[in-house]
Coordinates of all heavy atoms in Angstrom, one line a residue:
M60 N 30.3 71.3 28.0 CA 29.5 72.3 27.2 C 30.3 72.9 26.1 O 29.8 73.0 25.0 CB 28.9 73.3 28.2 CG 28.1 74.4 27.5 SD 26.4 73.8 27.4 CE 25.7 75.2 26.8
L61 N 31.5 73.3 26.4 CA 32.3 74.0 25.4 C 32.7 72.9 24.3 O 32.7 73.3 23.1 CB 33.6 74.5 26.0 CG 34.5 75.3 25.0 CD1 33.8 76.4 24.3 CD2 35.8 75.8 25.8
A62 N 33.0 71.7 24.7 CA 33.3 70.7 23.7 C 32.1 70.4 22.8 O 32.3 70.2 21.6 CB 33.7 69.4 24.4
Q63 N 30.9 70.5 23.3 CA 29.7 70.3 22.4 C 29.6 71.5 21.4 O 29.3 71.3 20.2 CB 28.5 70.3 23.2 CG 28.3 69.0 24.0 CD 27.1 69.0 25.0 OE1 26.7 70.1 25.5 NE2 26.5 67.9 25.2
W64 N 29.9 72.7 21.9 CA 29.8 73.8 21.0 C 30.9 73.7 19.9 O 30.6 74.0 18.7 CB 30.0 75.2 21.7 CG 30.2 76.3 20.8 CD1 31.4 77.0 20.6 CD2 29.3 76.9 19.9 NE1 31.2 78.0 19.7 CE2 29.9 77.9 19.2 CE3 27.9 76.6 19.6 CZ2 29.3 78.7 18.2 CZ3 27.3 77.3 18.6 CH2 28.0 78.4 17.9
I65 N 32.1 73.3 20.2 CA 33.2 73.2 19.3 C 32.8 72.1 18.2 O 33.0 72.3 17.0 CB 34.5 72.9 20.0 CG1 35.0 74.1 20.8 CG2 35.6 72.5 19.0 CD1 36.2 73.9 21.7
D66 N 32.3 71.0 18.7 CA 31.9 69.9 17.8 C 30.8 70.5 16.8 O 30.9 70.2 15.6 CB 31.3 68.7 18.6 CG 31.0 67.6 17.7 OD1 31.9 67.1 16.9 OD2 29.8 67.2 17.7
F67 N 29.8 71.1 17.3 CA 28.7 71.7 16.5 C 29.3 72.7 15.5 O 29.0 72.7 14.3 CB 27.7 72.4 17.4 CG 26.7 73.3 16.6 CD1 25.7 72.7 15.9 CD2 26.9 74.6 16.6 CE1 24.9 73.5 15.1 CE2 26.0 75.5 15.8 CZ 25.0 74.9 15.1
Y68 N 30.2 73.6 16.0 CA 30.8 74.6 15.1 C 31.6 74.0 14.0 O 31.5 74.5 12.8 CB 31.6 75.5 16.0 CG 32.1 76.8 15.3 CD1 31.4 77.9 15.3 CD2 33.4 76.8 14.7 CE1 31.8 79.1 14.6 CE2 33.8 77.9 14.0 CZ 33.1 79.1 14.0 OH 33.5 80.2 13.4
N69 N 32.3 73.0 14.2 CA 33.2 72.4 13.2 C 32.5 71.4 12.4 O 33.0 71.1 11.2 CB 34.4 71.8 13.9 CG 35.3 72.9 14.4 OD1 35.5 73.9 13.8 ND2 36.0 72.6 15.5
N70 N 31.5 70.7 12.8 CA 30.9 69.6 12.1 C 29.5 69.7 11.6 O 29.0 69.0 10.8 CB 31.0 68.3 13.0 CG 32.4 68.0 13.3 OD1 33.2 67.7 12.4 ND2 32.8 67.9 14.6
E71 N 28.8 70.7 12.1 CA 27.4 70.9 11.7 C 27.0 72.3 11.2 O 26.3 72.4 10.3 CB 26.4 70.6 12.9 CG 26.5 69.2 13.4 CD 25.6 68.9 14.6 OE1 24.5 69.4 14.5 OE2 26.1 68.3 15.5
R72 N 27.6 73.3 11.8 CA 27.3 74.7 11.4 C 27.8 75.0 10.0 O 29.0 74.8 9.8 CB 27.9 75.6 12.4 CG 27.5 77.1 12.2 CD 28.0 78.0 13.3 NE 27.7 79.4 13.1 CZ 28.4 80.2 12.4 NH1 29.5 79.8 11.8 NH2 28.0 81.5 12.2
L73 N 27.0 75.5 9.2 CA 27.4 75.9 7.8 C 28.0 77.4 7.9 O 27.4 78.2 8.5 CB 26.2 75.9 6.9 CG 25.5 74.5 6.7 CD1 24.4 74.6 5.8 CD2 26.5 73.4 6.4
H74 N 29.1 77.6 7.3 CA 29.8 78.8 7.3 C 29.8 79.5 6.0 O 30.2 79.0 5.0 CB 31.3 78.6 7.7 CG 31.4 78.1 9.1 ND1 31.8 78.8 10.2 CD2 31.2 76.8 9.6 CE1 31.9 78.1 11.2 NE2 31.5 76.8 10.9
G75 N 29.3 80.8 5.9 CA 29.2 81.5 4.7 C 30.5 81.7 4.0 O 30.6 81.7 2.8
A76 N 31.5 82.0 4.8 CA 32.9 82.2 4.2 C 33.4 80.9 3.6 O 34.4 81.0 2.8 CB 33.8 82.7 5.3
L77 N 32.9 79.8 3.9 CA 33.3 78.5 3.4 C 32.3 77.9 2.4 O 32.2 76.7 2.3 CB 33.6 77.5 4.5 CG 34.6 77.9 5.6 CD1 34.7 76.8 6.7 CD2 36.0 78.1 4.9
L78 N 31.6 78.8 1.7 CA 30.6 78.4 0.7 C 29.5 77.6 1.3 O 28.9 76.7 0.7 CB 31.3 77.6 -0.4 CG 32.4 78.3 -1.2 CD1 33.0 77.4 -2.2 CD2 31.8 79.6 -1.9
Y79 N 29.1 77.9 2.6 CA 28.1 77.2 3.3 C 28.4 75.8 3.5 O 27.5 74.9 3.3 CB 26.7 77.5 2.7 CG 26.4 79.0 2.9 CD1 26.6 79.9 1.9 CD2 25.9 79.4 4.2 CE1 26.3 81.3 2.1 CE2 25.7 80.8 4.4 CZ 25.9 81.7 3.3 OH 25.6 83.0 3.6
L80 N 29.6 75.4 3.8 CA 30.0 74.1 4.1 C 30.5 74.1 5.6 O 30.7 75.2 6.1 CB 31.2 73.6 3.3 CG 30.9 73.5 1.8 CD1 32.2 73.2 1.0 CD2 29.9 72.4 1.5
T81 N 30.6 73.0 6.2 CA 31.2 72.9 7.5 C 32.7 73.0 7.4 O 33.3 72.6 6.4 CB 30.8 71.7 8.3 OG1 31.4 70.6 7.6 CG2 29.3 71.5 8.3
P82 N 33.4 73.5 8.4 CA 34.8 73.5 8.4 C 35.4 72.1 8.2 O 36.4 71.9 7.5 CB 35.3 74.0 9.8 CG 34.1 74.9 10.1 CD 32.9 74.2 9.6
E83 N 34.7 71.1 8.8 CA 35.2 69.7 8.7 C 35.1 69.2 7.2 O 36.1 68.7 6.7 CB 34.3 68.8 9.5 CG 34.7 67.3 9.4 CD 36.1 67.0 9.9 OE1 36.7 67.7 10.7 OE2 36.7 66.0 9.4
D84 N 34.0 69.5 6.5 CA 33.9 69.2 5.1 C 35.0 69.9 4.3 O 35.6 69.3 3.4 CB 32.5 69.5 4.5 CG 31.5 68.6 5.0 OD1 31.8 67.4 5.3 OD2 30.3 69.0 5.0
Y85 N 35.1 71.2 4.5 CA 36.1 72.0 3.7 C 37.5 71.5 3.9 O 38.2 71.3 2.9 CB 35.9 73.4 4.2 CG 36.5 74.4 3.2 CD1 35.7 74.9 2.2 CD2 37.8 74.8 3.2 CE1 36.2 75.8 1.2 CE2 38.3 75.7 2.3 CZ 37.5 76.2 1.3 OH 38.0 77.1 0.4
F86 N 37.9 71.3 5.1 CA 39.3 71.0 5.4 C 39.6 69.5 5.2 O 40.8 69.2 5.2 CB 39.7 71.5 6.7 CG 39.7 73.0 6.8 CD1 38.8 73.7 7.6 CD2 40.6 73.8 6.0 CE1 38.8 75.1 7.6 CE2 40.5 75.2 6.0 CZ 39.6 75.8 6.8
A87 N 38.6 68.7 5.2 CA 38.9 67.2 5.0 C 38.9 66.9 3.5 O 39.0 65.7 3.1 CB 37.8 66.4 5.6
G88 N 38.8 67.9 2.6 CA 38.9 67.7 1.2 C 37.6 67.3 0.5 O 37.6 66.8 -0.6
R89 N 36.4 67.5 1.2 CA 35.2 67.1 0.7 C 34.4 68.3 0.0 O 33.3 68.2 -0.4 CB 34.3 66.5 1.8 CG 34.8 65.2 2.3 CD 33.8 64.6 3.3 NE 33.6 65.4 4.5 CZ 34.2 65.1 5.7 NH1 35.0 64.1 5.8 NH2 33.9 65.9 6.7
K90 N 35.1 69.4 -0.2 CA 34.5 70.6 -0.7 C 33.9 70.3 -2.1 O 32.7 70.6 -2.2 CB 35.6 71.7 -0.8 CG 35.1 72.9 -1.5 CD 36.2 73.9 -1.7 CE 35.8 75.0 -2.7 NZ 36.9 75.8 -3.1
E91 N 34.6 69.8 -3.0 CA 34.0 69.6 -4.4 C 32.9 68.6 -4.4 O 31.9 68.8 -5.1 CB 35.1 69.2 -5.3 CG 36.2 70.3 -5.6 CD 35.5 71.6 -6.1 OE1 34.6 71.6 -6.9 OE2 36.0 72.7 -5.6
A92 N 33.0 67.5 -3.6 CA 32.0 66.5 -3.6 C 30.7 67.1 -3.0 O 29.6 66.9 -3.5 CB 32.5 65.3 -2.7
R93 N 30.8 67.9 -1.9 CA 29.7 68.5 -1.2 C 29.0 69.5 -2.1 O 27.8 69.6 -2.2 CB 30.1 69.1 0.1 CG 30.6 68.1 1.1 CD 29.5 67.2 1.7 NE 28.8 68.1 2.6 CZ 27.5 67.9 2.9 NH1 26.8 67.0 2.3 NH2 26.9 68.7 3.8
L94 N 29.8 70.3 -2.9 CA 29.2 71.3 -3.8 C 28.6 70.6 -5.0 O 27.5 71.0 -5.4 CB 30.3 72.3 -4.3 CG 30.9 73.2 -3.2 CD1 32.0 74.0 -3.7 CD2 29.8 74.1 -2.6
A95 N 29.1 69.5 -5.5 CA 28.5 68.7 -6.5 C 27.2 68.1 -6.1 O 26.2 68.1 -6.8 CB 29.5 67.7 -7.1
E96 N 27.2 67.6 -4.9 CA 26.0 67.1 -4.3 C 24.9 68.1 -4.2 O 23.7 67.9 -4.5 CB 26.3 66.5 -2.9 CG 25.1 65.9 -2.1 CD 25.6 65.5 -0.7 OE1 26.6 64.9 -0.6 OE2 24.8 65.7 0.2
R97 N 25.3 69.3 -3.7 CA 24.3 70.4 -3.6 C 23.8 70.8 -5.0 O 22.6 71.0 -5.2 CB 25.0 71.6 -3.0 CG 24.1 72.8 -2.8 CD 24.8 74.0 -2.3 NE 25.4 73.7 -0.9 CZ 26.4 74.4 -0.4 NH1 26.9 75.4 -1.0 NH2 26.8 74.0 0.8
R98 N 24.6 70.9 -6.0 CA 24.2 71.2 -7.4 C 23.2 70.2 -7.9 O 22.2 70.6 -8.5 CB 25.4 71.4 -8.3 CG 26.1 72.6 -8.2 CD 27.2 72.8 -9.3 NE 28.2 71.8 -9.3 CZ 29.3 71.8 -8.7 NH1 29.6 72.9 -7.9 NH2 30.2 70.8 -8.8
E99 N 23.5 68.9 -7.6 CA 22.6 67.9 -8.1 C 21.2 68.0 -7.4 O 20.2 67.8 -8.1 CB 23.2 66.5 -7.8 CG 22.4 65.3 -8.3 CD 22.1 65.3 -9.8 OE1 22.9 65.8 -10.5 OE2 21.0 64.8 -10.1
K100 N 21.2 68.2 -6.1 CA 19.9 68.3 -5.4 C 19.1 69.5 -5.9 O 17.9 69.4 -6.1 CB 20.2 68.5 -3.9 CG 20.6 67.2 -3.2 CD 20.8 67.5 -1.7 CE 21.3 66.2 -1.0 NZ 21.5 66.5 0.4
L101 N 19.8 70.6 -6.2 CA 19.1 71.8 -6.7 C 18.6 71.6 -8.1 O 17.5 72.0 -8.4 CB 20.0 73.0 -6.7 CG 20.4 73.6 -5.3 CD1 21.5 74.7 -5.4 CD2 19.1 74.2 -4.7
H102 N 19.4 70.9 -8.9 CA 18.9 70.5 -10.3 C 17.7 69.6 -10.2 O 16.7 69.8 -11.0 CB 20.0 69.9 -11.1 CG 19.6 69.4 -12.4 ND1 19.4 70.3 -13.4 CD2 19.4 68.2 -12.9 CE1 19.0 69.6 -14.5 NE2 19.0 68.3 -14.2
T103 N 17.7 68.6 -9.4 CA 16.6 67.7 -9.2 C 15.3 68.4 -8.7 O 14.3 68.2 -9.3 CB 16.9 66.6 -8.2 OG1 18.1 65.9 -8.8 CG2 15.8 65.6 -8.0
A104 N 15.5 69.3 -7.8 CA 14.4 70.1 -7.3 C 13.8 71.0 -8.4 O 12.6 71.1 -8.5 CB 14.8 70.9 -6.1
D105 N 14.6 71.6 -9.2 CA 14.2 72.5 -10.2 C 13.4 71.7 -11.3 O 12.4 72.1 -11.7 CB 15.4 73.2 -10.9 CG 15.0 74.2 -11.9 OD1 14.2 75.0 -11.6 OD2 15.6 74.1 -13.0
T106 N 13.9 70.5 -11.6 CA 13.3 69.7 -12.6 C 11.9 69.2 -12.1 O 10.9 69.2 -12.9 CB 14.2 68.4 -12.9 OG1 15.4 68.9 -13.4 CG2 13.6 67.5 -14.0
K107 N 11.8 68.8 -10.9 CA 10.6 68.4 -10.3 C 9.6 69.5 -10.3 O 8.4 69.3 -10.5 CB 10.8 67.8 -8.9 CG 11.4 66.4 -8.9 CD 11.6 65.9 -7.5 CE 12.2 64.5 -7.5 NZ 12.3 63.9 -6.2
R108 N 10.0 70.7 -9.9 CA 9.2 71.8 -9.8 C 8.6 72.2 -11.2 O 7.4 72.5 -11.3 CB 9.9 73.0 -9.2 CG 9.0 74.2 -8.9 CD 9.8 75.4 -8.3 NE 10.9 75.9 -9.1 CZ 12.2 75.7 -8.8 NH1 12.5 75.0 -7.7 NH2 13.1 76.1 -9.6
K109 N 9.4 72.2 -12.2 CA 9.0 72.5 -13.5 C 8.0 71.5 -14.0 O 7.0 71.8 -14.6 CB 10.2 72.6 -14.5 CG 11.0 73.8 -14.3 CD 12.2 73.9 -15.2 CE 13.0 75.1 -14.9 NZ 14.3 75.1 -15.7
A110 N 8.3 70.2 -13.8 CA 7.3 69.1 -14.2 C 6.0 69.3 -13.5 O 4.9 69.1 -14.1 CB 7.9 67.8 -13.9
Y111 N 6.0 69.6 -12.2 CA 4.8 69.8 -11.4 C 3.9 70.9 -12.1 O 2.7 70.8 -12.3 CB 5.1 70.2 -10.0 CG 3.8 70.6 -9.2 CD1 2.9 69.7 -8.7 CD2 3.6 72.0 -9.0 CE1 1.8 70.1 -8.1 CE2 2.5 72.4 -8.3 CZ 1.6 71.4 -7.9 OH 0.4 71.8 -7.2
W112 N 4.5 72.1 -12.4 CA 3.8 73.2 -12.9 C 3.3 72.9 -14.3 O 2.2 73.4 -14.7 CB 4.6 74.5 -12.8 CG 4.6 75.0 -11.4 CD1 5.6 75.0 -10.5 CD2 3.5 75.4 -10.6 NE1 5.3 75.4 -9.3 CE2 3.9 75.7 -9.3 CE3 2.1 75.6 -10.9 CZ2 3.1 76.2 -8.3 CZ3 1.3 76.0 -9.8 CH2 1.8 76.3 -8.6
L113 N 4.1 72.2 -15.1 CA 3.6 71.8 -16.4 C 2.4 70.9 -16.3 O 1.4 71.0 -17.1 CB 4.7 71.1 -17.2 CG 5.8 72.1 -17.8 CD1 6.9 71.2 -18.4 CD2 5.2 73.0 -18.8
S114 N 2.4 70.0 -15.4 CA 1.3 69.1 -15.2 C 0.0 69.8 -14.7 O -1.1 69.5 -15.1 CB 1.6 67.9 -14.3 OG 1.7 68.4 -12.9
Q115 N 0.2 70.9 -14.0 CA -0.9 71.7 -13.5 C -1.5 72.5 -14.6 O -2.7 72.7 -14.6 CB -0.4 72.6 -12.4 CG 0.0 72.0 -11.1 CD -1.1 71.2 -10.5 OE1 -2.2 71.6 -10.2 NE2 -0.8 69.9 -10.2
Q116 N -0.7 72.9 -15.6 CA -1.2 73.7 -16.7 C -2.1 72.8 -17.6 O -3.0 73.2 -18.2 CB -0.1 74.3 -17.5 CG 0.6 75.4 -16.8 CD 1.8 75.9 -17.5 OE1 2.2 75.4 -18.5 NE2 2.3 77.1 -17.1
R117 N -1.7 71.5 -17.7 CA -2.4 70.6 -18.6 C -3.7 70.1 -17.9 O -4.6 69.6 -18.6 CB -1.5 69.4 -18.9 CG -0.3 69.8 -19.7 CD 0.5 68.6 -20.1 NE 1.8 69.0 -20.6 CZ 2.9 68.4 -20.3 NH1 3.0 67.4 -19.5 NH2 4.0 68.9 -20.8
A118 N -3.8 70.2 -16.6 CA -5.0 69.6 -15.9 C -6.2 70.5 -16.0 O -6.3 71.6 -16.4 CB -4.7 69.4 -14.5

């Protein structure tokens, strides 16, 4: 049971103090890649949302 919690805590749980990354991502050197991935997803979502609302205004 404790081993499962430690695995969850280090590999799945997002930590606010680590920019909402897992300790594993942060300390394995994936910080910049994960943050870039997050920025890209947010940009894509923003673009899609704007396109949706523009299409609703034209309809």
Side-chain angles (χ1 to χ4, degrees):
M60 179 84 173
L61 182 58
Q63 290 174 327
W64 169 249
I65 292 170
D66 184 60
F67 168 77
Y68 188 87
N69 289 324
N70 296 302
E71 297 180 43
R72 184 177 181 274
L73 304 179
H74 296 256
L77 300 177
L78 303 173
Y79 293 97
L80 296 172
T81 66
E83 178 63 26
D84 285 335
Y85 198 89
F86 295 114
R89 295 187 294 259
K90 174 186 166 190
E91 294 304 322
R93 297 286 286 149
L94 293 175
E96 178 183 318
R97 182 184 299 158
R98 282 190 300 272
E99 180 62 30
K100 287 179 180 181
L101 289 172
H102 175 72
T103 300
D105 185 52
T106 302
K107 286 181 178 182
R108 184 179 60 253
K109 287 176 182 176
Y111 171 80
W112 286 110
L113 284 173
S114 73
Q115 293 300 307
Q116 290 175 350
R117 294 182 194 140

